Amino acid sequence: MAAPGPVHEALAELELVDHHCHGAVTADLAPGEFASLLTEGDAWPGISPFDTPVGLAVRRHCAPVLDLPRHAPPADYLDRRRELGWREVNRRFLTAAGAEVFLVDTGYAPHPLTSPAELARSAGAAACEVVRLEQVAEAVAGQGVEPGEYAAAFRAAAEEAVRRPGVVAVKSVAAYRTGFALDPARPAEAEVTGAARHWLAGGGRLTDPVLIRHLLWTAVDLGLPLQLHTGFGDADLRLHHADPALLTDWLRLAAGTVPVLLLHCWPYHRQAAYLAAVFEQVYLDVGLALHHTGPARCRAVLEEALEITPFRKLLYSSDAYGVAEFHHLGALCFRQGLADLLQARVDADELSLPDALRIAAWTGRDNARRLYGPLVSAPARDPSGLPTRKV
Amino acid sequence: MAAPGPVHEALAELELVDHHCHGAVTADLAPGEFASLLTEGDAWPGISPFDTPVGLAVRRHCAPVLDLPRHAPPADYLDRRRELGWREVNRRFLTAAGAEVFLVDTGYAPHPLTSPAELARSAGAAACEVVRLEQVAEAVAGQGVEPGEYAAAFRAAAEEAVRRPGVVAVKSVAAYRTGFALDPARPAEAEVTGAARHWLAGGGRLTDPVLIRHLLWTAVDLGLPLQLHTGFGDADLRLHHADPALLTDWLRLAAGTVPVLLLHCWPYHRQAAYLAAVFEQVYLDVGLALHHTGPARCRAVLEEALEITPFRKLLYSSDAYGVAEFHHLGALCFRQGLADLLQARVDADELSLPDALRIAAWTGRDNARRLYGPLVSAPARDPSGLPTRKV
Amino acid sequence: MAAPGPVHEALAELELVDHHCHGAVTADLAPGEFASLLTEGDAWPGISPFDTPVGLAVRRHCAPVLDLPRHAPPADYLDRRRELGWREVNRRFLTAAGAEVFLVDTGYAPHPLTSPAELARSAGAAACEVVRLEQVAEAVAGQGVEPGEYAAAFRAAAEEAVRRPGVVAVKSVAAYRTGFALDPARPAEAEVTGAARHWLAGGGRLTDPVLIRHLLWTAVDLGLPLQLHTGFGDADLRLHHADPALLTDWLRLAAGTVPVLLLHCWPYHRQAAYLAAVFEQVYLDVGLALHHTGPARCRAVLEEALEITPFRKLLYSSDAYGVAEFHHLGALCFRQGLADLLQARVDADELSLPDALRIAAWTGRDNARRLYGPLVSAPARDPSGLPTRKV
C-alpha cells in the first residue's frame, strides 16, 4: 500500500456525494437478520456471513465505531449493536460516512427502512431521492389499468413520481428482470399494448422484455439521469446478462439524451469503463463492490475501473442497503482505495499532486454535483433533512 | 510480496487436501512427451514448452527437488528426470506436495497413470476417487444398450461406480462437451430416449445436449458432491462456453441438492466467486491456474478469486495431470500465494492473525473435509494407500 | 514498482518492432483536433480529453520530449506542439519510440497521414505495410463488379495488394463489422455470390457476415500473417462481440495455415492468452491498451496477458494512430511495464536474469522478426525508409 500522504488527507476531509444507496433498517435486528443483510446470499447453516471479506471489514472497521476493539468477535459485535439500539448505530455509521448528500433509491424495501429525510437527519447531511421505475410500473399495474392505457398511465405515474420534491434521478433494474440482451429499439405502441395485456392478465413482477424496453425509453423521455444496475447483485440475477457491454446498441440509439449511470459493474467494470470512454452520456461507479471486496481489494477494483475511464466519468456510491455499516464502509473503502491509488502515482511522479487532488474531488463529489444539478450541488442541511437549494 | 511471517509457516506445515487431481504417468517420458505434458497446448516446432510461465516454474521450483540448481536448463532437467526414473521422480514430487489426501479423477487416462492407491503410496498419503460421469455414460453406450434403457442403465452404472470403495465425488466435463448454455431443466424420459437413440446409432463421445443435461441431473440424484470443469483447459474447449455464470439457471433449479464444486474457473473466477457468494451449494477452486500462472501470479489470481468468496467456499486443488511436478507446484503456488495474500493483510492490520490462520486451514484442508465426509476428513494411511475411516 | 535493474537497461536499449500501428497526421492540429485524437471517444463539451489516463501520460511523458516540464498544462502542451510544427513533433516522438521497424496498417486514414516510408524517415527506422482487407473489398465494390465475379475480383485485388513492396501482413476488422460470433466455415461460392449481390446493390461498408467469413478465409489463402482487431476500440464496436474466444471454432478450422495475431485484446487479454496457449498459430499483443491505460497500469495489463501466454507468443505493438505521441508512449509503456514485471521476478529469484533478457528481446522484437520474415528481421534503413533486405 502507498504510504499515507496529502491525497489521503484530502480524501479524508472530502464530503462525498453517495450517488446511489438505500435506507437503513429502522429496527433492532436479530443476529440472524443482521447476518443475512451482510451478504448478497441468504443465511446458510454452518457458514457464518462474517466469514467473508465484508464480514472481516465490518469487524475491523465498524467495530471501533461501536467502541469495540478491532477484529471484535461477531458475537460481541452483535451484542454491542443491540445494546446501542438501531437509532444510535445508524447515527454513528451514517455520520462516519462523511457524505454531504445521499441519493436514495426508495423503490426496494423488503425491510422497514429510513426514508431519505430520516437518513439525512441521522447523517447530519442531505438526501435526495432516486425513483425506481419498475416499482412505478408495478404500482400502475396493481391499481388496475387497461392494456391500451398502460403506456400513458406508466408515463404519467413516472412523471408524477419524479416531480416529488428531492427527486434527482430514476433507476432501472432491467439487469435483474430481462438482462441487457434486449432489442434496443423503442417498442411500437401496439407492441406495448400487446405485452401489457399479457402482463396485466398474469400479474407479478415486470419481466416482459417489451415492457422493460418501453421502461428504458420512458426513462429517456423523463429527462433525468438514469441509473442502471449492472454486474454484481444477489441470487436473483443472471450475472452475464448484466454485462453492461450488452447495452451498446441501446446506448448508441439513446446518445444525446440522458446521462446513463452504470452502477456496481464488477466484474464487468472494464467493460463499463470502455463504454464511459466512448459514449458521452455514460458514467460508472463500483458501488457494492467496494464494501463487499473490502479495504484489501477496493484499490485493485478501482485500479481496473480507472484504467481507461475519463476522470469526469467515475462517481462514488456505496449501494448500501439495510445496515448503516455499509454506508460507512463504502465511503471508507472508496477513500482508502482511491487515496492509495492516487498517492502511489504521485509518489512515482506519474501524476502531479494538484491533478491527484482534482481527480479525488471530481470522483468523490463534483462529478455527481455536475450531473444531478442544484439539489445535489448545493444541498441545504435544514432540520428536515430535505435538500433545498442554498441561497 | 509480503515478508514471510507466521501465515507462511502455518501454510508450510498444513497438510493439504488436493480435492481434484489426476494420476502421474507410470513410465519414463521421452523429452517430447514430457514437454507436451507441460502445457495445455500440443508440442509445436520451434517453441519450447519450457518457455512458458509453467516452464519457468518447473525450472525454478522443481529442479531443486531433483537436486539440480534453480533455473536449471531444460536439457539438464530432462536428463536428471530420466536418470532418476519415474518412480523416484513421482515419489519426490508427490511427497513434496505435502497433501494428506488426493481426490483423483480416474476418468481421463490417455497415458498409463498411477491409480489412486499407487498415487497415495508414492505420496505417503491417502487418496480417494472421483468418478467422471461422461466416462460412465460412454462405457454404458460401448457395452450396447437399447435407447429406451439408456437412462436406467446409465443411472445403475453410475450408482455402481460411486459404490466403489474410496469414491467421494462425481465429476462432469459438460463444459467441454456442450458448454453451459444449456436448457437447465431435467429432460423428460422421452427426450432422453430420443437423444440416446441418436447417440447410440452414431457412437463417439457424449456431446448431445439432452444427454448432458440428463447426466447433470443424474449427478444430482447420486447425492455426492459434483465437480464441474469450468474455465481454462485444453484446445478442445470453447472457453466462453465454460463461463460458470452460464450455469445460473441450473444452479437455481438444483438448489438444496448436492454441493457443486466449480473447478479451475480462470479467467471466470470472479463469476465463480459471485455464484459461491449467492448460492449455498456452490464452491470453487483455482486449480490448474495455480501452476500454469506460476508463483509470480498465483497470489494475484487468488486475490481476485477471494474478492467476494466466503472463506468456507474456496478449496484447494492442483488439477495436476501426468507429471507429478504439477502435484507439487500446485501445492507450492497455493501455499505461497495464499500466505502472501493473508500475511499482507495481517501486516496491514486488515485481518487478525487468528482469522488468517483459520482461513488458511479452511481453504487448504477443512472445507474439503467438511464437504467430502469421513473418507477425506479422517483418512487412514495404511500400506494400501486406500483411505479407510480412522477409529 | 520494481527498482530499476538490468532488465530496465536492456529494454531501454532494445530496438523494438512495433508490429501494428498507423501513420501520424501530416498537418498541424487545431487544439480540438488534437484532443479528439487523444481518446477513442469523440470530443465532449465540458470534459477535456486530457482528463484521462492517456491524457495524464501525455502531459507526464510527452511534454519533456517537447522541452516542457513534466505534467505541463494542456494549453502549454498544445501551444508548444503548434510552435514546433508537425514535422518536428512527429520526428521527436517517432525517434523517441526507439523502434527499428514499424508495421503500418494503411487501410484507415480519415486524416492525412504519413505513408510507411514517411513514417520510417521521420523515425530513422524502417517500415513495412499491413494491408487492411475490408478496404480492399470495399475498393473492389466501389469499382463495380458483378456479384458472381466478386470472390475472384476480391482475391485478385488482395493478391495484388500484398505483392506491393514492403507488405508483410494482412489485417481484418471483422470485430467491428460483424463481431466474431460467426459461422466458422468457409462459405460456399453460391453463398458468397448471393451475399455480394445484396451488398453491391445496397453499397456502404462491408458488414455482411457471409462476406466477412469469406474475407477471413481469403486471408488464409493469401498465406501472410493475419492481424485481427480484438477487444478495445472506438464507439463503433460492440465490445463483447470482439472477445477473441468467439473465434475458437474458426481457429480450429484454420489450424495449420497462417499465423493469427490478436491485436489489443483488452479486456479479453486472458481469453487471448488462452488461445495463444492452446493454438499453435495464435499470437497476441496488448497494443492500444498500453498507452490508454498508461504507465500506471501497463504492467498490470501485461501481468495478466502473460499469466499463461508462451513467451514466444506475445508481441509488441503501439496501435498508435494520428498523433506520434502514441508511437512513443506505447513503446515507453511496454518497456516500463515489461521491465518492472520481469525485474521484480528476477529480484524474487522466480526468474533468472538471462531468461528475463531473452523474454524481453523475444516479446519486444524477435517474435515479430520470426513471424514476419526477412523484411522485418533484417530491415535496411536506407534513405527512402523502405525496408529492403540487408546483405
PDB file of all heavy atoms in Angstrom, chain B residues 3 5 19 27 39 56 60 97 141 145 161 189 208 233 256-257 263 298 308 310 333-334 361:
ATOM      1  N   ALA B   3       6.517  -9.975   3.336  1.00  0.00           N
ATOM      2  CA  ALA B   3       7.607 -10.623   4.033  1.00  0.00           C
ATOM      3  C   ALA B   3       7.054 -11.888   4.686  1.00  0.00           C
ATOM      4  O   ALA B   3       5.949 -11.873   5.234  1.00  0.00           O
ATOM      5  CB  ALA B   3       8.181  -9.679   5.090  1.00  0.00           C
ATOM      6  N   GLY B   5       5.956 -14.615   7.158  1.00  0.00           N
ATOM      7  CA  GLY B   5       5.542 -14.460   8.540  1.00  0.00           C
ATOM      8  C   GLY B   5       4.853 -15.715   9.021  1.00  0.00           C
ATOM      9  O   GLY B   5       4.953 -16.770   8.364  1.00  0.00           O
ATOM     10  N   HIS B  19      -8.263 -31.540  -3.668  1.00  0.00           N
ATOM     11  CA  HIS B  19      -9.599 -32.129  -3.882  1.00  0.00           C
ATOM     12  C   HIS B  19      -9.889 -32.449  -5.349  1.00  0.00           C
ATOM     13  O   HIS B  19     -10.984 -32.943  -5.665  1.00  0.00           O
ATOM     14  CB  HIS B  19     -10.690 -31.245  -3.263  1.00  0.00           C
ATOM     15  CG  HIS B  19     -11.266 -30.230  -4.194  1.00  0.00           C
ATOM     16  ND1 HIS B  19     -12.542 -30.340  -4.705  1.00  0.00           N
ATOM     17  CD2 HIS B  19     -10.736 -29.114  -4.740  1.00  0.00           C
ATOM     18  CE1 HIS B  19     -12.766 -29.326  -5.514  1.00  0.00           C
ATOM     19  NE2 HIS B  19     -11.708 -28.571  -5.551  1.00  0.00           N
ATOM     20  N   ALA B  27       5.687 -44.219 -16.352  1.00  0.00           N
ATOM     21  CA  ALA B  27       6.657 -44.601 -17.389  1.00  0.00           C
ATOM     22  C   ALA B  27       7.668 -43.477 -17.493  1.00  0.00           C
ATOM     23  O   ALA B  27       7.364 -42.331 -17.140  1.00  0.00           O
ATOM     24  CB  ALA B  27       5.961 -44.801 -18.734  1.00  0.00           C
ATOM     25  N   THR B  39       2.190 -28.293 -21.101  1.00  0.00           N
ATOM     26  CA  THR B  39       1.249 -27.230 -21.444  1.00  0.00           C
ATOM     27  C   THR B  39      -0.096 -27.819 -21.827  1.00  0.00           C
ATOM     28  O   THR B  39      -0.225 -29.011 -22.075  1.00  0.00           O
ATOM     29  CB  THR B  39       1.756 -26.385 -22.634  1.00  0.00           C
ATOM     30  OG1 THR B  39       1.640 -27.160 -23.822  1.00  0.00           O
ATOM     31  CG2 THR B  39       3.197 -25.955 -22.431  1.00  0.00           C
ATOM     32  N   LEU B  56       8.969 -22.044 -16.628  1.00  0.00           N
ATOM     33  CA  LEU B  56       9.875 -21.348 -15.706  1.00  0.00           C
ATOM     34  C   LEU B  56       9.691 -21.843 -14.278  1.00  0.00           C
ATOM     35  O   LEU B  56      10.665 -22.003 -13.535  1.00  0.00           O
ATOM     36  CB  LEU B  56       9.609 -19.839 -15.735  1.00  0.00           C
ATOM     37  CG  LEU B  56       9.968 -19.081 -17.014  1.00  0.00           C
ATOM     38  CD1 LEU B  56       9.609 -17.608 -16.842  1.00  0.00           C
ATOM     39  CD2 LEU B  56      11.453 -19.233 -17.352  1.00  0.00           C
ATOM     40  N   ARG B  60      12.478 -23.463 -11.889  1.00  0.00           N
ATOM     41  CA  ARG B  60      12.802 -22.771 -10.642  1.00  0.00           C
ATOM     42  C   ARG B  60      12.506 -23.616  -9.395  1.00  0.00           C
ATOM     43  O   ARG B  60      13.311 -23.674  -8.473  1.00  0.00           O
ATOM     44  CB  ARG B  60      12.005 -21.455 -10.580  1.00  0.00           C
ATOM     45  CG  ARG B  60      11.929 -20.779  -9.219  1.00  0.00           C
ATOM     46  CD  ARG B  60      13.300 -20.363  -8.701  1.00  0.00           C
ATOM     47  NE  ARG B  60      13.205 -19.780  -7.368  1.00  0.00           N
ATOM     48  CZ  ARG B  60      13.148 -20.496  -6.244  1.00  0.00           C
ATOM     49  NH1 ARG B  60      13.189 -21.810  -6.298  1.00  0.00           N
ATOM     50  NH2 ARG B  60      13.073 -19.885  -5.080  1.00  0.00           N
ATOM     51  N   ALA B  97       4.591 -32.416  -2.252  1.00  0.00           N
ATOM     52  CA  ALA B  97       3.311 -31.704  -2.300  1.00  0.00           C
ATOM     53  C   ALA B  97       2.735 -31.491  -0.901  1.00  0.00           C
ATOM     54  O   ALA B  97       2.009 -30.528  -0.662  1.00  0.00           O
ATOM     55  CB  ALA B  97       2.312 -32.464  -3.175  1.00  0.00           C
ATOM     56  N   ALA B 141     -22.747 -46.941 -23.192  1.00  0.00           N
ATOM     57  CA  ALA B 141     -23.026 -46.961 -24.632  1.00  0.00           C
ATOM     58  C   ALA B 141     -22.156 -48.001 -25.324  1.00  0.00           C
ATOM     59  O   ALA B 141     -22.620 -48.722 -26.218  1.00  0.00           O
ATOM     60  CB  ALA B 141     -22.766 -45.578 -25.237  1.00  0.00           C
ATOM     61  N   VAL B 145     -26.725 -50.872 -25.473  1.00  0.00           N
ATOM     62  CA  VAL B 145     -27.927 -50.694 -24.659  1.00  0.00           C
ATOM     63  C   VAL B 145     -29.018 -50.166 -25.589  1.00  0.00           C
ATOM     64  O   VAL B 145     -28.727 -49.452 -26.550  1.00  0.00           O
ATOM     65  CB  VAL B 145     -27.653 -49.736 -23.477  1.00  0.00           C
ATOM     66  CG1 VAL B 145     -27.289 -48.346 -23.978  1.00  0.00           C
ATOM     67  CG2 VAL B 145     -28.820 -49.646 -22.521  1.00  0.00           C
ATOM     68  N   ALA B 161     -20.702 -47.329  -9.800  1.00  0.00           N
ATOM     69  CA  ALA B 161     -19.365 -46.716  -9.788  1.00  0.00           C
ATOM     70  C   ALA B 161     -19.120 -45.970  -8.478  1.00  0.00           C
ATOM     71  O   ALA B 161     -18.024 -46.035  -7.916  1.00  0.00           O
ATOM     72  CB  ALA B 161     -19.211 -45.772 -10.978  1.00  0.00           C
ATOM     73  N   GLU B 189     -38.303 -38.182 -19.964  1.00  0.00           N
ATOM     74  CA  GLU B 189     -37.851 -39.523 -20.333  1.00  0.00           C
ATOM     75  C   GLU B 189     -37.825 -39.710 -21.859  1.00  0.00           C
ATOM     76  O   GLU B 189     -36.874 -40.269 -22.405  1.00  0.00           O
ATOM     77  CB  GLU B 189     -38.790 -40.547 -19.690  1.00  0.00           C
ATOM     78  CG  GLU B 189     -38.141 -41.883 -19.407  1.00  0.00           C
ATOM     79  CD  GLU B 189     -39.140 -42.837 -18.727  1.00  0.00           C
ATOM     80  OE1 GLU B 189     -39.629 -42.479 -17.637  1.00  0.00           O
ATOM     81  OE2 GLU B 189     -39.421 -43.892 -19.318  1.00  0.00           O
ATOM     82  N   ASP B 208     -24.274 -34.858 -26.820  1.00  0.00           N
ATOM     83  CA  ASP B 208     -25.670 -34.465 -27.028  1.00  0.00           C
ATOM     84  C   ASP B 208     -26.162 -33.608 -25.858  1.00  0.00           C
ATOM     85  O   ASP B 208     -26.042 -34.017 -24.696  1.00  0.00           O
ATOM     86  CB  ASP B 208     -26.537 -35.716 -27.158  1.00  0.00           C
ATOM     87  CG  ASP B 208     -27.978 -35.344 -27.381  1.00  0.00           C
ATOM     88  OD1 ASP B 208     -28.693 -35.110 -26.384  1.00  0.00           O
ATOM     89  OD2 ASP B 208     -28.372 -35.227 -28.551  1.00  0.00           O
ATOM     90  N   GLY B 233      -8.725 -24.792 -19.869  1.00  0.00           N
ATOM     91  CA  GLY B 233      -8.465 -26.195 -20.172  1.00  0.00           C
ATOM     92  C   GLY B 233      -7.697 -26.282 -21.470  1.00  0.00           C
ATOM     93  O   GLY B 233      -7.024 -25.327 -21.853  1.00  0.00           O
ATOM     94  N   GLY B 256     -30.409 -26.793  -3.021  1.00  0.00           N
ATOM     95  CA  GLY B 256     -30.925 -27.685  -1.981  1.00  0.00           C
ATOM     96  C   GLY B 256     -30.583 -29.145  -2.224  1.00  0.00           C
ATOM     97  O   GLY B 256     -30.995 -30.009  -1.455  1.00  0.00           O
ATOM     98  N   THR B 257     -29.848 -29.424  -3.301  1.00  0.00           N
ATOM     99  CA  THR B 257     -29.459 -30.823  -3.527  1.00  0.00           C
ATOM    100  C   THR B 257     -27.975 -31.008  -3.209  1.00  0.00           C
ATOM    101  O   THR B 257     -27.591 -30.843  -2.051  1.00  0.00           O
ATOM    102  CB  THR B 257     -29.786 -31.260  -4.980  1.00  0.00           C
ATOM    103  OG1 THR B 257     -28.999 -30.494  -5.900  1.00  0.00           O
ATOM    104  CG2 THR B 257     -31.276 -31.044  -5.294  1.00  0.00           C
ATOM    105  N   LEU B 263     -14.478 -26.082 -10.712  1.00  0.00           N
ATOM    106  CA  LEU B 263     -13.032 -26.308 -10.783  1.00  0.00           C
ATOM    107  C   LEU B 263     -12.377 -25.301 -11.718  1.00  0.00           C
ATOM    108  O   LEU B 263     -12.951 -24.951 -12.755  1.00  0.00           O
ATOM    109  CB  LEU B 263     -12.753 -27.715 -11.318  1.00  0.00           C
ATOM    110  CG  LEU B 263     -13.420 -28.900 -10.607  1.00  0.00           C
ATOM    111  CD1 LEU B 263     -13.140 -30.189 -11.384  1.00  0.00           C
ATOM    112  CD2 LEU B 263     -12.927 -29.032  -9.177  1.00  0.00           C
ATOM    113  N   CYS B 298       0.167 -16.473  -8.903  1.00  0.00           N
ATOM    114  CA  CYS B 298      -0.902 -17.205  -8.223  1.00  0.00           C
ATOM    115  C   CYS B 298      -1.512 -16.354  -7.106  1.00  0.00           C
ATOM    116  O   CYS B 298      -2.710 -16.453  -6.843  1.00  0.00           O
ATOM    117  CB  CYS B 298      -0.420 -18.556  -7.718  1.00  0.00           C
ATOM    118  SG  CYS B 298       0.995 -18.487  -6.661  1.00  0.00           S
ATOM    119  N   ILE B 308     -14.852 -11.743  -3.212  1.00  0.00           N
ATOM    120  CA  ILE B 308     -16.147 -11.817  -2.517  1.00  0.00           C
ATOM    121  C   ILE B 308     -16.490 -13.235  -2.078  1.00  0.00           C
ATOM    122  O   ILE B 308     -17.555 -13.468  -1.519  1.00  0.00           O
ATOM    123  CB  ILE B 308     -17.307 -11.265  -3.384  1.00  0.00           C
ATOM    124  CG1 ILE B 308     -17.484 -12.079  -4.658  1.00  0.00           C
ATOM    125  CG2 ILE B 308     -17.100  -9.793  -3.718  1.00  0.00           C
ATOM    126  CD1 ILE B 308     -18.841 -11.839  -5.329  1.00  0.00           C
ATOM    127  N   PRO B 310     -17.011 -16.323   0.078  1.00  0.00           N
ATOM    128  CA  PRO B 310     -16.973 -16.685   1.503  1.00  0.00           C
ATOM    129  C   PRO B 310     -15.814 -17.647   1.761  1.00  0.00           C
ATOM    130  O   PRO B 310     -15.526 -18.514   0.935  1.00  0.00           O
ATOM    131  CB  PRO B 310     -18.330 -17.369   1.719  1.00  0.00           C
ATOM    132  CG  PRO B 310     -19.215 -16.837   0.626  1.00  0.00           C
ATOM    133  CD  PRO B 310     -18.306 -16.628  -0.549  1.00  0.00           C
ATOM    134  N   CYS B 333       2.337 -23.255  -5.138  1.00  0.00           N
ATOM    135  CA  CYS B 333       1.739 -21.973  -5.551  1.00  0.00           C
ATOM    136  C   CYS B 333       0.600 -21.587  -4.618  1.00  0.00           C
ATOM    137  O   CYS B 333       0.449 -20.418  -4.248  1.00  0.00           O
ATOM    138  CB  CYS B 333       1.226 -22.070  -6.987  1.00  0.00           C
ATOM    139  SG  CYS B 333       2.531 -22.169  -8.230  1.00  0.00           S
ATOM    140  N   PHE B 334      -0.216 -22.566  -4.263  1.00  0.00           N
ATOM    141  CA  PHE B 334      -1.326 -22.264  -3.355  1.00  0.00           C
ATOM    142  C   PHE B 334      -0.791 -21.765  -2.016  1.00  0.00           C
ATOM    143  O   PHE B 334      -1.234 -20.744  -1.501  1.00  0.00           O
ATOM    144  CB  PHE B 334      -2.175 -23.525  -3.151  1.00  0.00           C
ATOM    145  CG  PHE B 334      -3.326 -23.314  -2.212  1.00  0.00           C
ATOM    146  CD1 PHE B 334      -4.474 -22.658  -2.642  1.00  0.00           C
ATOM    147  CD2 PHE B 334      -3.269 -23.756  -0.898  1.00  0.00           C
ATOM    148  CE1 PHE B 334      -5.552 -22.453  -1.787  1.00  0.00           C
ATOM    149  CE2 PHE B 334      -4.334 -23.560  -0.031  1.00  0.00           C
ATOM    150  CZ  PHE B 334      -5.477 -22.901  -0.469  1.00  0.00           C
ATOM    151  N   ALA B 361      -6.350 -22.712   7.025  1.00  0.00           N
ATOM    152  CA  ALA B 361      -6.687 -24.112   7.288  1.00  0.00           C
ATOM    153  C   ALA B 361      -7.999 -24.502   6.595  1.00  0.00           C
ATOM    154  O   ALA B 361      -8.132 -25.611   6.067  1.00  0.00           O
ATOM    155  CB  ALA B 361      -6.784 -24.355   8.798  1.00  0.00           C
TER     156      ALA B 361
END
